[in-house]
Amino acid sequence: MACKVTSFVAAAIVGFPPYSDAHPAHSGWTYPPACCRGSEVGGDCERIPGVSVKKGPHGFSIILHPGDHHLVTKDHMFKVPYGDEIPSGDSDFHICLHPTEDHMNCFFAPPDGV
């Protein structure tokens, strides 16, 4: 299982050049262009199951299995410190994987967390 720790997602978003190919989530809100590459079918941002996300003492632990996101082909674990998550536009969790499934560049949590 791969383990990636995100040190500061907001800083990563600022560091990405703007892209015009962001796509909407299925519930209708649009992922920020700095997070998303592609379309609704081939994009790297997608809703993930709530059971994949756990709150810990220092932040979120996200465990993705094949089928949890269309790009995921093997198990992954990502850590996101509190304050580095981005509010989602709905009541679901979402993640953007870019440039490969081994790298998370944006994590979205609903306003109420878990």
Side-chain angles (χ1 to χ4, degrees):
M1 177 180 295
C3 179
K4 303 293 178 195
V5 177
T6 303
S7 61
F8 193 63
V9 174
I13 291 170
V14 173
F16 282 108
Y19 287 88
S20 61
D21 54 356
H23 65 86
H26 287 289
S27 59
W29 61 282
T30 300
Y31 298 109
C35 294
C36 183
R37 313 289 190 280
S39 67
E40 287 183 69
V41 175
D44 53 5
C45 298
E46 187 173 304
R47 185 190 73 75
I48 58 173
V51 298
S52 298
V53 181
K54 303 287 184 226
K55 270 181 122 172
H58 304 290
F60 297 93
S61 293
I62 304 139
I63 298 176
L64 296 178
H65 303 287
D68 289 346
H69 184 288
H70 73 278
L71 295 177
V72 175
T73 63
K74 59 187 177 187
D75 290 345
H76 292 281
M77 180 176 174
F78 299 100
K79 300 268 188 188
V80 179
Y82 292 126
D84 286 358
E85 74 277 9
I86 301 167
S88 71
D90 56 23
S91 60
D92 293 319
F93 292 97
H94 299 254
I95 198 165
C96 299
L97 303 174
H98 180 81
T100 69
E101 70 177 279
D102 297 319
H103 299 89
M104 179 200 67
N105 65 325
C106 294
F107 170 69
F108 301 87
D112 60 355
V114 173

